[in-house]
Amino acid sequence: MSSPWFTSEKTDINPILSSRIRLARNLRKYPFQQKLNAPNAAYMVQEMQEAISIFHKLDMQNLSEAEQKVFLEKHIISPEFIRGLLPRGLLISDDQNLSVMLNEADHIRIQSMQAGDALSDALTAANRLDDLIEERMEYAFHHEYGYLTACPTNTGTGLRASYMIHLPFLERTDQFKSLLPIISKFGITLRGIYGEGTESMGGIYQISNQTTMGKTEEEIIQVLQNMTIKVMEHEAQARDKMLGTHRADQENMVYRAYGVLAYSRKITAKEAMDLLSEVRLGYLYGLLDKPKPVKQIYQIMMEIQPGHLQRIAGREMDELDRDYARAEYLREIFK
Amino acid sequence: MSSPWFTSEKTDINPILSSRIRLARNLRKYPFQQKLNAPNAAYMVQEMQEAISIFHKLDMQNLSEAEQKVFLEKHIISPEFIRGLLPRGLLISDDQNLSVMLNEADHIRIQSMQAGDALSDALTAANRLDDLIEERMEYAFHHEYGYLTACPTNTGTGLRASYMIHLPFLERTDQFKSLLPIISKFGITLRGIYGEGTESMGGIYQISNQTTMGKTEEEIIQVLQNMTIKVMEHEAQARDKMLGTHRADQENMVYRAYGVLAYSRKITAKEAMDLLSEVRLGYLYGLLDKPKPVKQIYQIMMEIQPGHLQRIAGREMDELDRDYARAEYLREIFK
């Protein structure tokens, strides 16, 4: 068994933190979610859980709010999945790299995650799981349109491919906003994680395809990769400029971030993410002469989110409590 | 020989950092400064330096800009004294607690400094030096007006008494500005040090009498002490409120300040002063569980000023160089 993608040191050696494939599928014998009633939804979840018996089975209704948040913060489930009204189930592999949301917008949402730049590995794993399901259940499939989905934008391959990418230098530049419409023309979007729209925390963005119809999986991935390379070239230019002419300023920012992480008694998620972003740069570009923490920075970024903090504390906490707990957790890491 | 006032730990145990007495005097046989020519000014300086031979003798013309700045930052000389055009001399005791500016606005400006709340000790020392001078030289004195001075606001006792006082809590409150006109009615002013007007760095203010005529030394000092007590009561109220209801916030600010001082690579004097102010509070009110540096915080505040930094470096530095040198100096102290 491999370790979970988010603890891999591959998340900390490249602007690409992780790679993700999502496949949307529906079962022929059930109505689509808009017309699915609760008993049938529950039956569908149960049937799938029995079919894919190698995975852990979780019913969303039985998870606490904090447990749901933890999965959300790991990008294993979506906010829509939490908000859903029908019975919903989650299948999840031991290493959490593979998972299936049952009754999100579609009956089946396969998700495959890999640390670092490994989209084809993620696709291979997703396809293997997809084949396994297809051996046992019949998908709603149209010979011309491809896989049918609740929302027509997913019809076809049902594929969404994405990278989590760290763009701390690019986001400070003027070019950043002007890049968005360009990649958008190719059906690619860039948006912040844990934030609204393009708002970001810690300079981390998700770049993904928007449309799936009329293209093969390979074409979708190729366009995403091309656009990601383009974005990373701009990030590298912004980085080289900063480290070339303002290296000492960047070093100052990195050390100050380290100092605040090591000493603060109270810190918001947003501030902590931004400081962790600086510290990640510090290690990545040799600006910070401090021993690297055992945990990857990206993992720390996830663990300071509300759900993770509550799980560590073993209790529900209000925002202020979390700000204290977050600071304590970070001090322990950066002391 | 006692150690200099600014290295005493008395500067760090009370909101009152130091006490200062200044006496303005003029010699009968020389024209006042407005009418004094350069040869006579030089002669006056020489005569005084010979009369008070127990002190170190310095000619302003022979001091480098950096050396002048160091004396300025220690409040031993004034900006006006540096800008003066006539020959000027400085007499200074071994421990730097007593000094005499020759040809500042008046022929003679006696200054007496003490760490902490010790205005009467400072006055005793100033009076002793005043008597010593008067044994040897004849002052310009009028039986009705008292000591005559270049500017009539100093005529009478020629006395200015002041405290350096740390008001970090009060300055954040709304009452602060409304206190100024009140104490002003009693002839007392409060202004920032190393800053313009009431602008302050590090929450440090000088509170002093404005007028001297028509009052005895004792009256002047009594009014200053009363007003200082009033100001300190307000500071204590603001402090108790903050530490009562927002102790954790204050602790957070103190630790963050410590973290930035311990890690920054580049820091302005203004920011460093404000952070040192927080750290001083941290030690004073038991908010900071870190070993206290060997040097007093107030001494560190002086040593991060431009002149002191240049003296430590042994060379002239531009502003950016100083920001790096200041950060390095502070890291060494707070590592």
Side-chain angles (χ1 to χ4, degrees), chain B residues 12 23 61 65 91 118 127 133-134 166 172 206 240 276 284 288 313 320:
Chain B
D12 271 358
L23 300 175
Q61 300 87 302
E65 207 177 306
L91 295 169
N127 283 339
I133 297 170
E134 211 163 7
H166 191 208
R172 296 181 211 151
Q206 185 181 56
D240 291 349
L276 286 166
L284 204 51
L288 180 61
L320 189 62

Side-chain angles (χ1 to χ4, degrees), chain B residues 65-67 69-70 73 303 305-319 322 325:
Chain B
E65 207 177 306
E67 288 169 311
K69 266 193 186 144
V70 168
E73 291 159 5
E303 294 189 351
Q305 300 303 321
H308 280 79
L309 283 178
Q310 288 176 154
R311 189 182 57 177
I312 292 166
R315 63 185 175 88
E316 296 275 320
M317 289 188 284
D318 65 18
E319 200 176 322
R322 290 198 301 261

Side-chain angles (χ1 to χ4, degrees), chain A residues 249 252 265-266 271, chain B residues 249 252 256 265-266 271:
Chain A
D249 285 328
N252 185 39
R265 258 54 193 164
K266 185 174 150 191
E271 185 187 2
Chain B
D249 285 327
N252 184 40
R256 282 169 175 255
R265 259 52 192 165
K266 185 175 148 187
E271 185 187 3

Side-chain angles (χ1 to χ4, degrees), chain A residues 248-249 251-252 255-256 258-260 262-268 271 275 290 320 324 327 334-335, chain B residues 248-249 251-252 255-256 258-260 262-268 271 275 290 320 324 327 334-335:
Chain A
D249 285 328
E251 197 176 279
N252 185 39
Y255 272 101
R256 281 168 173 256
Y258 192 97
V260 174
Y263 283 97
S264 84
R265 258 54 193 164
K266 185 174 150 191
I267 193 164
T268 64
E271 185 187 2
L275 299 178
K290 286 274 162 191
L320 189 62
Y324 286 110
F334 291 102
K335 73 183 170 191
Chain B
D249 285 327
E251 196 175 279
N252 184 40
Y255 273 100
R256 282 169 175 255
Y258 192 96
V260 174
Y263 283 98
S264 82
R265 259 52 192 165
K266 185 175 148 187
I267 193 163
T268 63
E271 185 187 3
L275 299 178
K290 286 274 163 191
L320 189 62
Y324 286 111
F334 291 103
K335 74 182 171 191

